Amino acid sequence: MYHYNQKGLQTLQNYILERKPSKVIVLTDYHTKELCLPKLLPYLPAHFVNINIPPGESYKQIETLQSIWKQLLENNADRNSLMINLGGGVITDIGGFAASTFKRGIDFIHIPTTLLSMVDAAIGGKNGINFLQGKNQIGNINLPKLILVNDDFLNTLPQMQIDSGIAEMLKHGLIGDRDYWQKMVTYLNNKNTNFSQLIKESIQIKNEIINEDPYEKGLRKVLNFGHTLGHAIESYLNYQKKSPITHGHAVAMGMILSVYISNKIKILKFTLVTSIISVIRKQFTLIPFTDQDILYILELLSFDKKNINGIPQFILLEDIGIPAIDQAVSKEIIIESFKAYNALATKRSDK
Ligand SMILES: NC(=O)c1ccc[n+]([C@@H]2O[C@H](COP(=O)([O-])OP(=O)(O)OC[C@H]3O[C@@H](n4cnc5c(N)ncnc54)[C@H](O)[C@@H]3O)[C@@H](O)[C@H]2O)c1
């Protein structure tokens, strides 16, 4: 289903030749149009339609979706058209949703161009947009026909966005594979490791999980480790504070909080708390939160899609590689964990 590196783009050309879509539409954002689309041109038919949207999380919303639908109509896209989503997680999320809903669904292909979208957002068929204060409130699960991962696209990606993807790679180790976690730790300590191989293994970990539970009835929930608080922090900083951070940065802070919570509810040993947090902390700046910030973030937790009867359900850790799903956590424990996190955030980092 997914193809890795150079062969991937060739696969696109073969797929288009065989499938003969009535129209090929390539969705980009301003950055991927300039930096990534030229690399794709040799593999595209001469006449394709480009829909180009502004970059960033704040455009993963209903007005942008409407403008994509409108441009699909204006360009006479029909049910036999093919949409190619060329970009980061914002493009694959909104593009996958636009294609899944246009004329009750047209075929689409993801070509992820950020590290985060290669190892995470493009894999697993979750599509959607943010709505009101909540992240990913509207969406569906519908798989692309192909996912073409080519890490040459990373050459133009800013370091901050590479770090964002690294957060999800670390997550894959923590929830699914102790050996992979160790490989990531080694990579972060001395960058000599083959990074392409680490990307490939990260995709494999996610793929195995979603193949077993595509509709998130059980196992797939583990992929939300760090995301319950991470999403609330991301929405808070993006929309209330107007001080946006990357998705992975928010997830990294969410993972640290979840590690503290795991220890406070006595399922994770303190020695592991320190060793896990020291790895994450070296890579990410921890933003301190005031009491007022924490109250807002707690309020945003009420929008989390995994809530049951309004109570947030956390994915926590029992050990590296061993997650615990559906953990209801009291407000008091969450606040205590923010306190422990804040103590660390205000300390000088040992970067
Ligand atoms: N569907 C899922 O399963 C899933 C999983 C994880 C995250 N997500 C979603 O993914 C989104 C975050 O994705 P993201 O971090 O890729 O953000 P993004 O799509 O906003 O991309 C980050 C920035 O990098 C730019 N960019 C993209 N490719 C580039 C390249 N090759 N060179 C230079 N610049 C490039 C983009 O234009 C943008 O400015 C969030 O909305 C998150 O909710 C979805």
Side-chain angles (χ1 to χ4, degrees):
M1 236 275 293
Y2 68 89
H3 293 266
Y4 200 68
N5 279 348
Q6 226 44 54
K7 243 171 58 196
L9 299 184
Q10 191 57 55
T11 309
L12 172 69
Q13 198 171 33
N14 298 343
Y15 181 87
I16 294 174
L17 283 173
E18 250 173 58
R19 162 125 171 10
K20 299 185 180 57
S22 53
K23 195 148 281 177
V24 172
I25 300 106
V26 183
L27 179 70
T28 52
D29 67 25
Y30 298 169
H31 300 144
T32 63
K33 177 171 182 171
E34 187 195 328
L35 299 167
C36 307
L37 187 56
K39 294 181 187 151
L40 202 63
L41 289 179
Y43 306 94
L44 289 173
H47 303 289
F48 69 91
V49 173
N50 174 221
I51 299 181
N52 194 24
I53 64 171
E57 184 69 24
S58 58
Y59 291 97
K60 200 176 102 175
Q61 36 95 329
I62 189 78
E63 282 81 9
T64 317
L65 181 64
Q66 282 175 343
S67 90
I68 297 171
W69 283 330
K70 190 162 169 273
Q71 290 179 70
L72 286 169
L73 280 176
E74 285 166 355
N75 284 288
N76 301 317
D78 61 23
R79 294 190 72 182
N80 194 31
S81 298
L82 173 72
M83 185 146 152
I84 299 172
N85 300 312
L86 178 70
V90 168
I91 288 292
T92 54
D93 275 16
I94 198 168
F97 191 53
S100 300
T101 44
F102 182 74
K103 299 201 188 259
R104 297 206 180 95
I106 62 172
D107 287 350
F108 61 100
I109 289 176
H110 285 336
I111 307 186
T113 61
T114 62
L115 180 59
L116 184 130
S117 58
M118 289 178 189
V119 298
D120 196 2
I123 316 290
K126 278 192 183 176
N127 312 302
I129 55 166
N130 305 327
F131 191 61
L132 302 178
Q133 288 104 315
K135 281 251 330 151
N136 305 329
Q137 295 294 299
I138 312 290
N140 67 351
I141 297 185
N142 185 24
L143 286 166
K145 291 292 165 200
L146 289 173
I147 304 160
L148 307 176
V149 180
N150 188 317
D151 57 24
D152 284 351
F153 286 121
L154 300 180
N155 295 338
T156 54
L157 195 67
Q159 186 58 42
M160 182 179 82
Q161 298 296 344
I162 298 277
D163 288 345
S164 178
I166 283 179
E168 299 286 5
M169 294 168 89
L170 288 171
K171 179 196 78 180
H172 287 159
L174 286 175
I175 53 143
D177 189 331
R178 172 188 278 275
D179 289 346
Y180 183 73
W181 165 260
Q182 206 42 59
K183 284 185 204 172
M184 282 301 295
V185 174
T186 311
Y187 169 75
L188 294 176
N189 284 336
N190 97 44
K191 301 254 160 40
N192 283 337
T193 329
N194 178 350
F195 194 54
S196 290
Q197 182 58 25
L198 289 173
I199 296 177
K200 214 168 168 179
E201 287 179 34
S202 195
I203 297 173
Q204 274 159 3
I205 294 173
K206 177 155 184 187
N207 230 10
E208 274 164 29
I209 293 170
I210 55 156
N211 284 344
E212 213 166 297
D213 177 23
Y215 294 101
E216 201 164 299
K217 300 286 176 228
L219 179 67
R220 184 170 180 164
K221 293 181 188 175
V222 301
L223 293 166
N224 294 316
F225 176 65
H227 283 60
T228 308
L229 278 160
H231 276 164
I233 290 171
E234 190 181 357
S235 297
Y236 175 64
L237 293 175
N238 273 340
Y239 300 110
Q240 246 130 341
K241 284 274 212 171
K242 307 270 183 252
S243 153
I245 56 165
T246 63
H247 178 74
H249 191 175
V251 167
M253 293 191 277
M255 288 197 289
I256 290 186
L257 285 158
S258 305
V259 164
Y260 277 128
I261 295 173
S262 305
N263 175 254
K264 287 189 188 299
I265 67 159
K266 300 190 171 29
I267 60 172
L268 183 73
K269 282 193 283 196
F270 195 72
T271 47
L272 285 172
V273 174
T274 1
S275 76
I276 296 170
I277 289 180
S278 75
V279 173
I280 303 176
R281 196 180 161 218
K282 259 195 214 156
Q283 200 68 22
F284 298 93
T285 306
L286 306 192
I287 299 169
F289 296 105
T290 64
D291 289 350
Q292 190 65 28
D293 295 335
I294 297 170
L295 284 182
Y296 272 122
I297 291 167
L298 287 175
E299 209 178 296
L300 284 170
L301 280 185
S302 62
F303 286 96
D304 196 272
K305 295 180 298 303
K306 299 171 297 300
N307 288 357
I308 299 180
N309 299 326
I311 301 173
Q313 305 290 307
F314 282 80
I315 308 302
L316 298 176
L317 281 190
E318 289 179 15
D319 200 342
I320 296 172
I322 307 186
I325 61 173
D326 293 338
Q327 302 287 312
V329 177
S330 70
K331 229 180 189 167
E332 291 68 33
I333 296 267
I334 301 175
I335 292 173
E336 270 181 44
S337 302
F338 264 107
K339 298 241 154 86
Y341 165 97
N342 266 340
L344 200 65
T346 47
K347 257 207 294 192
R348 198 182 67 81
S349 151
D350 44 6
K351 254 189 208 184

